[in-house]
Every structure is written in structure tokens, then in C-alpha cells.
Amino acid sequence: MKSRSKSEWMLTMNASIASYLDASLLVTTGIVLALWKTHFGFNAWWVGAISTIVTLSVALGSLIGGYLSDRFGRVKVFNLDILFVALGTLIVAFSVNLPMLIAGLFIAGVASGADLPTSLAVISERTEANRYGKVIASTEIFWLAGIVLSQGLGFLTADLGYRSTQILFFWLFLVAFSTWAVRALSPKFHKMEREMVIQSDSVAVTKEEQDAQKIPFRKLMRLPRYFVPMIGLTGFYLFWNIPANTWGSFLNYFLVTIDGRSQQFSTLSAFFANILGAFVLYGIYMKLADTKYRYVMTRIGLVLCIGSFILSAIYGGMWLVFTISYFVYCMANMLHGEPLYKIWSQSLYPVHVRASVTGITYAVVRAVTAIFSFITPVIMAYSPELLIWLLVGSLVLCWLSAELIMRFIAHHQIPDPVYNPRKLTVKKENQRL
């Protein structure tokens, strides 16, 4: 058991680089927007357009990547995704003009979007059901690492001007290329990845689940049992992601352009806020994700996030109040949102359609957030408090979607540590046999 657990974590860490690259690409783009604005002479609309291009390319990649991985093999597609992320970020690092910059961002965005649903499926089909919460939520550590390391590098290179953007994107190239090299060239890693696959017939405990594993994706999605939670998942992740993507992409721009803070202050604030978020994720969420407290954390996190935004909106986005609110938001945000979305996207569906479902929901969310990103700088310039109130409304809808999914899980007796813990226990016993 210890040997399997060790291999499980090794595979999870490698596949989780997808989450690191996804977060790093979006956050790094946000960090350097002000520098690109100066270097290329962008106006506010172009700032929004660049962010939109990246987010839309991620959405496109998610849509096609999930389907391709279920169709042609998750490991094979995942390896190609990582390689193209390396190519795209290398092009961005050495861009000499705007068309080259946009081409690199598009390639990296599509590949980054494709590798996220694929990586989650790669992990979940090698993970015991009663450990989904801890193992899948651990990918969020890498997502946070993508934010924190990007912000740390941004701070350290803030005085280098445009050279800073080249260093940040070349680092992403090194991470992606190194990950691809391990996955593609290591026979030992290939062997371990094959041996870790959990056969679907050893974990199914009901005839419904066994039958679902034989139904193609399109037919499966016509059944309310699988279509309804996909709608709920999309709403939950969308309304969580709008605030997360806004501050991931525009925190530096907001503090520098709207609040008059320095580039160093904004990157350092974000760096420490997300470090605290990582402590919450590792010290609290991962320890309780597979227990009866999973949804207690969800509700507490949403209350704190909404409250922090309300306070900031009341004070009109004033830099000191906003910075404190952002710290609270970053910590509370780790108690719900993307960690829970990842768990639900894997536990609500049979293994043969997980990548496709995740890809579709992720694509829809990224497409909508791309549209919101396009108008964000304009809203920000018109009224910072209006922007923050819109984010408050988004989180309220996120909470509503979460409650609906919880009710669905309880009603359909889906294996869950809160509502149906006995089913997880049965699955665990089956896996041991």
C-alpha cells in the first residue's frame, strides 16, 4: 500500500505540472501586461484584448483536449500538450513584434487548456475513490505554485523592464520542456504509469455505474443523471472563476494603474497573499477534503470571500482596504472553488468521459471569462467599486450553484464523504480485493 501511495504521489506531482503551467501562463501574462502596454504602446482595449486572446485560447484547448484525450489516449495527448506549451512560451520569450507575441500566446494557451482536463483524468484513473479529495486537491498546490512563483519572479525582475517578460516566459519553457522530457523519455516512468491504472470493473459498485462505463459520451450526456451536474459544475466554476481570473490577470494592473502603487508593491502583495492561500490549502483543505467537513469549508470560504469583496467595494477599492481584502480572499478561496470543482468533475462521471466533461466545462468557463477580461480594464477605469460589486454578485451565484450540486449528490446517492461515505468505503474494499 505504501508503495502504491508513493507512486500515486509521484505521478500526481508530474501530471500536476499542467495546473502549474495553466496558472503561470495566465498570471504571468497579467503581471507583464503593464510592461507590454508601455513597450508596445497599448491602450486599455488592447490590454483587455491580449488577456482575452490568452483566455480564449485556453478555452479552445480545453474543448478539444478533453475529447482528444478520451478518444486517442490520455497519456499520449497529455505529453503532446506539454510539448506545445514549451514551444508557445519559447516563442513569447523571444518575441520581437506583436504578431509573434500573439502567436506564441495562442499556441501556449491552446496547449495549456488542453492539458488540464487531460491531466486530471490521468490522475483520477490512477487514484482510489476514497482519496480523490486529497490527491486531486493537491493539484491546486501546483496551481498556487504557478501563481506564487510567477509573482516572485515578477518581483525579482521588476526593475528589468521588458527583459522581465522574457525571463518569466523562458522559465515557463524550461518547466514545460523538462516535464515533457521526463514523461516522454523515461522507461521507468512509463512502466509506473501503466501499472498504476485502476481497472474500472474493480471500483464500480452498482449496476448503474457499470452500465454507464459502456455508454458513449454523447449518449451519456442525454441522461439527466450526467447532464444536470455538468450544468451545475459549469455554473459553479464559472462564477468562482470570474473573480479568480480577474485578480489573476489584473491585480497588478489594478494596483498600479488604478491605485497608484508600484509594480514591486503589487507583485509582492500578491506573492504573500497566495503563500498564505497555499498554507490554507495544504494545512486545512487537503486534510479535511475527504471528511464530513468538506462542505463546511465550502460555505465558510464563500462567506469570507464575499465579505472581503463587500468591504473593499464599500471603500471604493482604496488600496489599503483592497489589499487586506485580497489577502482574506486568497486564503478563503482555497476552501472552495477550483479544488472542489476538480474533485466533483472526477467523482461525478465514469472514467472514460471525465476528460471530455472537464474539457467542456472548462472551455465554457474560460470563454465567458475571456469576454469579461476584455471589458475588465474599461470597467475598472470607469468605476473600481462597480467591478468589485460585480465580483460579489458572481460569488453569490457560485454559492447557489454549489448548493444545487450538493443536493444533487445527496439525492442520487453519489459516493461522497459528506452524504454517502459508505459507498466510498465499499469502493475501497473492492479495490483491495
Side-chain angles (χ1 to χ4, degrees), residues 40 57-58 66 72-73 76 81 102 115 128 141 167 169 192 195 207 224 244 304 322 339 348 351 357 378 404 416:
F40 291 103
S57 65
V58 170
F72 297 106
K76 182 188 298 184
D81 292 340
I102 292 176
D115 67 17
E128 296 175 347
I141 291 286
I167 294 172
F169 276 93
M192 182 173 61
E195 292 177 347
K207 187 175 185 303
L304 291 174
F322 174 79
L348 288 171
V351 66
V357 171
V378 179
L404 292 175
D416 183 277

Side-chain angles (χ1 to χ4, degrees), residues 42 52 114 138 233 274 279 313:
F42 295 158
T52 300
S138 71
L233 268 177
N274 284 288
F279 281 120

Side-chain angles (χ1 to χ4, degrees), residues 230-242 298 302 336-342 344 365 394-395 397-403 405-406:
M230 186 169 73
I231 299 301
L233 268 177
T234 304
F236 172 71
Y237 190 47
L238 170 63
F239 295 118
W240 174 86
N241 200 265
I242 286 176
T298 297
L302 282 162
H336 64 104
E338 187 156 83
L340 186 56
Y341 161 77
K342 289 178 176 179
W344 278 343
V365 169
S394 183
L395 284 174
L397 292 174
C398 171
W399 192 345
L400 176 61
S401 299
E403 294 291 345
I405 295 175
M406 292 176 207

Side-chain angles (χ1 to χ4, degrees), residues 9 12 16 19 120 123-124 127 131-145 277-278 280-290 294 297 334-346:
W9 285 114
T12 298
S16 294
S19 294
L120 291 178
I123 293 169
S124 67
T127 302
R131 288 168 52 82
Y132 274 174
K134 179 179 289 187
V135 175
I136 295 176
S138 71
T139 65
E140 203 69 6
I141 291 286
F142 287 79
W143 185 81
L144 271 177
V280 171
L281 177 65
Y282 182 77
I284 299 176
Y285 193 83
M286 285 180 60
K287 294 183 184 303
L288 301 177
D290 292 308
R294 177 185 287 179
M297 293 189 293
M334 291 301 100
L335 298 176
H336 64 104
E338 187 156 83
L340 186 56
Y341 161 77
K342 289 178 176 179
I343 294 169
W344 278 343
S345 69
Q346 303 306 296

Side-chain angles (χ1 to χ4, degrees), residues 417-432:
V418 178
Y419 300 116
N420 301 291
R422 291 188 62 187
K423 283 200 170 187
L424 291 178
T425 303
V426 171
K427 283 195 172 189
K428 183 177 180 179
E429 294 301 323
N430 285 349
Q431 290 159 4
R432 287 176 176 174

